Amino acid sequence: MDTWQRRTSQYVVVLVGVMFGYAAVYDAGMSAFEGSPVSFLHALQVVVETFTTTGFGSDAPWTTAEMNVLVIVMDLTGVVLIFLALPVLVFPLFEEAISTTVPTAAREDLENHVVVCTLTPRGETLVDELDSWGVEHLILEPDRDRAKDRYEEGYDVIHADPQSVDGLEAARLSEARCLVADDSDPVNTSTILTAKEVAEDVRTVSVVDDPARERYHRLAGADDVLSPRALLGEGLASKVTTGISTELGEAIEIGEDFEVAELPIQRNSDLVGRTIAESGVRERAGVNIVGAWFRGQFESPPSPDATLDNGTVLLVTGREAQLERLKELTMSDVRRFRRGRTVVVGHGEVGTTVSGALSAAGVSNTVMDLADDPAVDVVGDATDPDALSRAGIEDARSVILAIPDDTLTEFAILVIRDLNPGIELIARAEETENVQKMYRAGADYVLSLATVSGRMLASTILEDEEVISLDKQVEVIRTHAPGLVGRTLGEADVRARTGCTVVGVERDGAVITDLGADFRIREGDELVIAGTDEGTNRFMETLAYTD
């Protein structure tokens, strides 16, 4: 029973009780004070007329003070009950009449779609990917208010329970290409079990919060089980483990001895304070800068007059030796020869993965968390300067914030940057929209869980798209582009139209990386595209399909 029905039932019970009570009092009063006995039914009629304002004073005038007071109180009670009826009964009915009606079933011709149960921030990235590829999808949302909000935001959503047979049948699961269970572990396993009952042959993908529970997702029947938090932790740790030496452990190999890499410019690097033109990166290292992050804003290509600072992350292409030379240029003299210690704040799934990766790489680390645990070195709040001092933040080389609360992470960045202005600060973000705020607060590198999760899901579901970079700020994909066949890269104007870059073309088993404006795309070519998620999605929407 929903809130409106419960309130209505309570109101009716109170109203009937009050009316019968007044009828009994009026009946007794007419006999005792007026000397004019009436039937109980007549007394009830007088009360109903009074409360409904359909008639007053049918027995008037009353000669005694007692009866006049009783009638006055009855009149006032009737008015109060009428006003109570407005918010309890009338207003909700009007609101229901004018509110958005959310569908409860998919349209009859929907097929080969992806069923998403339910929509989380990581699911939003997946939906963007599906839209860019022209793949239809349907979101199941069991909560009516959230379903209405999603519907009004423009999502294809129905109000249905993904854990019920009726809900999945309403989503036409038997006609779908895939189901994604993206909720808590128990809800996901329940959804998978139901899905196998409705359509056993439909592929199911489940997102696991705790990797230790992956076995149970598979026992429930999930075809693929994804653990984005573990991958996020590895990605965050890699920014420290590859930063303690000049070894380039985070490059993405495109062709033979040709790679794409993200290289953060460290504090006190020789490049800090110079423009791209003044830095001479091209001449000194031989790499090609195809894009750059400036405090959370991606530019492709970056302006030669853009100033490099400690918050800049370069997206570059080149051969391994060239990237190694650039790595040397991006590192500070202080850190080049000092391994130092890393403080890991947060010991959940992401933090555990981070500390494990650091320990495996021989990087000294101190773990800090609110909860006491044998693996936690310092118990304290990440926003408390005293607790951070106990963790040795003032003397640490770097800090990784693995907190699952973006607001707390933003505040912790401000506190840490105040305590140690020169520290390398790497942060986790739950939602992509908060990444830029963390950069403004003072983070050197931020990676979003929603981005990593969405890429993992897209790479698993979409057969035609190979997402090469899952745990980076940029996305690198390998895909066919029929819409570009017969056109040169100059004619396509990929960078200007999409904000991403074609960094390589695989043709007849060989990868071509020397791409000029006059390079012409042929039938069967597979393009390697680098850029933000929005940029690569825009490429798929505008250039990947035949006009």
Side-chain angles (χ1 to χ4, degrees):
M1 182 180 294
D2 61 24
T3 302
W4 183 82
Q5 291 175 321
R6 184 173 61 255
R7 289 179 178 175
T8 301
S9 300
Q10 292 172 350
Y11 177 82
V12 170
V13 170
V14 171
L15 178 63
V16 171
V18 170
M19 292 175 67
F20 273 89
Y22 272 124
V25 174
Y26 185 86
D27 184 15
M30 288 297 290
S31 299
F33 302 118
E34 294 291 328
S36 178
V38 296
S39 66
F40 181 81
L41 186 60
H42 177 82
L44 183 60
Q45 176 190 355
V46 172
V47 174
V48 171
E49 289 176 347
T50 301
F51 278 24
T52 59
T53 70
T54 56
F56 288 101
S58 58
D59 284 350
W62 294 275
T63 58
T64 63
E66 290 84 357
M67 285 304 298
N68 279 289
V69 169
L70 174 61
V71 172
I72 291 172
V73 173
M74 284 173 51
D75 291 340
L76 293 175
T77 303
V79 171
V80 170
L81 289 174
I82 288 174
F83 277 107
L84 285 176
L86 293 176
V88 172
L89 301 176
V90 180
F91 292 164
L93 287 176
F94 274 112
E95 183 179 355
E96 181 73 20
I98 64 176
S99 65
T100 302
T101 301
V102 182
T104 56
R107 66 177 193 271
E108 293 184 359
D109 62 341
L110 184 63
E111 59 183 16
N112 199 32
H113 56 292
V114 176
V115 178
V116 182
C117 319
T118 59
L119 190 63
T120 62
R122 57 196 174 203
E124 293 174 5
T125 302
L126 169 63
V127 167
D128 290 340
E129 295 276 354
L130 296 176
D131 284 338
S132 69
W133 280 84
V135 176
E136 291 199 274
H137 59 275
L138 184 67
I139 300 164
L140 267 69
E141 179 54 65
D143 183 270
R144 186 183 182 283
D145 291 335
R146 285 201 297 267
K148 184 180 72 172
D149 291 341
R150 295 300 189 183
Y151 186 75
E152 291 176 344
E153 290 169 4
Y155 288 99
D156 295 320
V157 60
I158 64 172
H159 176 215
D161 184 2
Q163 299 180 67
S164 70
V165 171
D166 290 342
L168 294 182
E169 288 179 343
R172 293 177 58 83
L173 180 63
S174 59
E175 305 299 326
R177 66 188 293 174
C178 180
L179 176 139
V180 176
D182 188 13
D183 207 302
S184 65
D185 287 334
V187 172
N188 286 350
T189 53
S190 175
T191 300
I192 297 296
L193 288 168
T194 308
K196 290 303 179 181
E197 180 179 349
V198 174
E200 187 175 359
D201 295 334
V202 173
R203 184 183 181 189
T204 54
V205 180
S206 186
V207 180
V208 61
D209 287 330
D210 183 358
R213 296 181 174 180
E214 177 180 345
R215 168 180 172 82
Y216 308 114
H217 289 249
R218 295 199 180 278
L219 287 174
D223 298 303
D224 296 282
V225 181
L226 306 182
S227 181
R229 284 178 171 80
L231 181 61
L232 178 70
E234 293 169 1
L236 294 174
S238 71
K239 296 306 171 188
V240 172
T241 57
T242 57
I244 61 176
S245 70
T246 57
E247 294 181 4
L248 199 70
E250 55 194 36
I252 303 165
E253 186 173 352
I254 301 303
E256 186 177 352
D257 196 27
F258 185 82
E259 299 172 330
V260 177
E262 273 185 354
L263 292 176
I265 297 178
Q266 297 183 359
R267 295 177 183 273
N268 302 317
S269 163
D270 292 338
L271 300 180
V272 172
R274 300 184 183 185
T275 65
I276 291 179
E278 293 170 346
S279 68
V281 167
R282 173 70 178 175
E283 295 76 16
R284 298 166 68 183
V287 300
N288 182 29
I289 301 178
V290 298
W293 291 89
F294 297 98
R295 292 297 173 185
Q297 293 289 343
F298 186 73
E299 295 183 18
S300 178
S303 168
D305 298 326
T307 301
L308 303 173
D309 59 26
N310 53 274
T312 302
V313 180
L314 299 177
L315 175 63
V316 295
T317 61
R319 303 195 180 281
E320 184 176 358
Q322 295 171 329
L323 296 179
E324 295 287 0
R325 286 197 294 271
L326 178 59
K327 177 81 173 177
E328 283 278 0
L329 296 176
T330 62
M331 296 178 68
S332 69
D333 291 334
V334 174
R335 290 177 182 167
R336 187 176 288 119
F337 305 107
R338 178 171 66 88
R339 296 173 71 89
R341 183 172 48 82
T342 297
V343 177
V344 180
V345 181
H347 195 59
E349 181 55 39
V350 175
T352 301
T353 303
V354 169
S355 59
L358 293 177
S359 298
V363 178
S364 174
N365 62 91
T366 299
V367 178
M368 175 179 175
D369 195 83
L370 278 173
D372 194 6
D373 185 89
V376 174
D377 302 304
V378 177
V379 177
D381 188 342
T383 62
D384 180 4
D386 293 335
L388 290 168
S389 294
R390 292 200 307 273
I393 206 73
E394 289 94 343
D395 301 321
R397 173 190 179 276
S398 56
V399 59
I400 298 179
L401 291 172
I403 308 171
D405 186 310
D406 288 352
T407 301
L408 290 179
T409 299
E410 292 160 10
F411 196 89
I413 292 171
L414 295 171
V415 176
I416 292 170
R417 186 60 72 204
D418 181 58
L419 292 172
N420 187 346
I423 197 169
E424 182 182 23
L425 208 160
I426 301 165
R428 154 203 184 169
E430 281 291 297
E431 300 186 22
T432 307
E433 63 186 20
N434 294 324
V435 169
Q436 191 172 349
K437 287 196 293 183
M438 293 183 185
Y439 275 113
R440 285 200 297 267
D444 293 308
Y445 189 89
V446 183
L447 191 57
S448 165
L449 176 62
T451 297
V452 172
S453 305
R455 288 177 184 171
M456 289 184 73
L457 288 167
S459 183
T460 302
I461 295 170
L462 299 174
E463 298 175 356
D464 297 326
E465 174 185 2
E466 180 187 357
V467 182
I468 303 174
S469 59
L470 296 176
D471 58 343
K472 304 286 186 292
Q473 289 193 96
V474 294
E475 181 177 35
V476 181
I477 65 172
R478 190 190 304 268
T479 180
H480 292 282
L484 295 183
V485 172
R487 302 165 67 180
T488 66
L489 293 179
E491 292 170 345
D493 201 11
V494 173
R495 280 191 175 185
R497 295 175 64 181
T498 67
C500 56
T501 304
V502 180
V503 297
V505 175
E506 184 173 343
R507 176 180 293 171
D508 299 327
V511 177
I512 304 169
T513 56
D514 186 12
L515 305 175
D518 58 349
F519 183 87
R520 192 174 300 276
I521 306 299
R522 297 179 186 174
E523 185 75 33
D525 283 352
E526 195 171 38
L527 279 62
V528 180
I529 311 297
T532 62
D533 294 320
E534 293 80 5
T536 55
N537 288 345
R538 195 155 49 242
F539 175 88
M540 298 307 304
E541 292 169 353
T542 59
L543 300 177
Y545 302 111
T546 304
D547 295 334

